[in-house]
Amino acid sequence: MVLRLPASDLGLMAEHLAAHEGIINKLKRDYLVIQNPALKQVLYTSITIMRDHVRVMLALIDPQQHSPVHLAQIPINQEKFVYHNLSEQEKHIALEARSTSMSMASNNFTSALRMKDANTKYVHFKMADQQVKLQGLYNNIVQKTNSDYTPKATEKEQLKTLQHYLHILNE
């Protein structure tokens, strides 16, 4: 028996595979120039996860594959990280990798919503979740090394916004 995917699912995965190929190659180039151990570990984890996403999508596309396909269980944590300052080049790599993870999470989630095959849909939701976790790892590195600035709203503006929308609860 041949497993036939909906053409829309196949098209979305073909787009993903092309993106994954480029992103993996970029991450591998960045990995070679990184000295910061925390950033190097997250880049390695990103490469490993992205390769697993490729493995899974190829299995989903394989018409001879009959059993459900699952992502590998890749631990995503940073408890052992020691944070050192980032060079300017490492800062740019971390910011770009964080943005890439955010984009991939959004892309996987949106694609999953559009997919028809149940296993393909489920796997892409899980891929999105992994990318969100990677984004968090990059975010921690960027924050702990003071490589990013996020402005904070004033207490006055927060209270003003709160007061403006409280009526929604009473309607």
Side-chain angles (χ1 to χ4, degrees), residues 9-22:
D9 291 11
L10 179 60
L12 288 167
M13 284 190 285
E15 286 180 23
H16 287 208
L17 287 165
H20 278 59
E21 183 177 16

Side-chain angles (χ1 to χ4, degrees), residues 76 83 88 133 146:
I76 301 175
Y83 295 96
E88 278 302 304
K133 289 176 181 165
N146 297 314

Side-chain angles (χ1 to χ4, degrees), residues 3-170:
L3 177 65
R4 297 188 55 203
L5 283 175
S8 57
D9 291 11
L10 179 60
L12 288 167
M13 284 190 285
E15 286 180 23
H16 287 208
L17 287 165
H20 278 59
E21 183 177 16
I23 293 168
I24 289 169
N25 285 320
K26 171 81 169 83
L27 291 171
K28 285 169 32 180
R29 282 193 311 273
D30 291 345
Y31 182 85
L32 295 175
V33 299
I34 295 297
Q35 298 301 311
N36 182 287
L39 181 55
K40 199 165 187 89
Q41 181 59 45
V42 177
L43 280 171
Y44 181 80
T45 302
S46 294
I47 293 165
T48 303
I49 285 172
M50 296 289 285
R51 282 182 173 155
D52 189 54
H53 291 184
V54 169
R55 176 194 62 80
V56 166
M57 284 187 284
L58 292 174
L60 288 165
I61 291 170
D62 183 354
Q64 302 303 316
Q65 175 71 33
H66 299 293
S67 57
V69 178
H70 303 281
L71 293 171
Q73 295 299 315
I74 300 168
I76 301 175
N77 63 52
Q78 61 191 43
E79 293 153 4
K80 59 184 179 238
F81 288 173
V82 176
Y83 295 96
H84 303 284
N85 287 334
L86 298 174
S87 69
E88 278 302 304
Q89 183 180 27
E90 290 171 333
K91 174 184 166 183
H92 294 295
I93 288 170
L95 292 170
E96 183 181 16
R98 178 179 68 175
S99 180
T100 298
S101 290
M102 180 174 48
S103 176
M104 292 299 297
S106 177
N107 192 327
N108 281 320
F109 184 78
T110 302
S111 293
L113 292 173
R114 296 172 54 206
M115 290 176 166
K116 311 293 184 222
D117 178 75
N119 188 215
T120 304
K121 179 185 281 282
Y122 176 77
V123 166
H124 278 79
F125 280 128
K126 293 308 236 177
M127 287 179 185
D129 183 56
Q130 285 182 336
Q131 290 294 343
V132 166
K133 289 176 181 165
L134 284 171
Q135 180 190 355
L137 294 180
Y138 287 116
N139 197 50
N140 279 347
I141 290 171
V142 166
Q143 287 178 343
K144 295 216 190 280
T145 60
N146 297 314
S147 298
D148 193 16
Y149 172 72
T150 303
K152 303 288 186 201
T154 64
E155 182 180 354
K156 181 180 176 182
E157 285 301 313
Q158 283 181 237
L159 287 171
K160 186 176 171 182
T161 304
L162 176 67
Q163 292 300 317
H164 182 80
Y165 290 105
L166 268 175
H167 73 277
I168 297 170
L169 294 175
N170 299 323

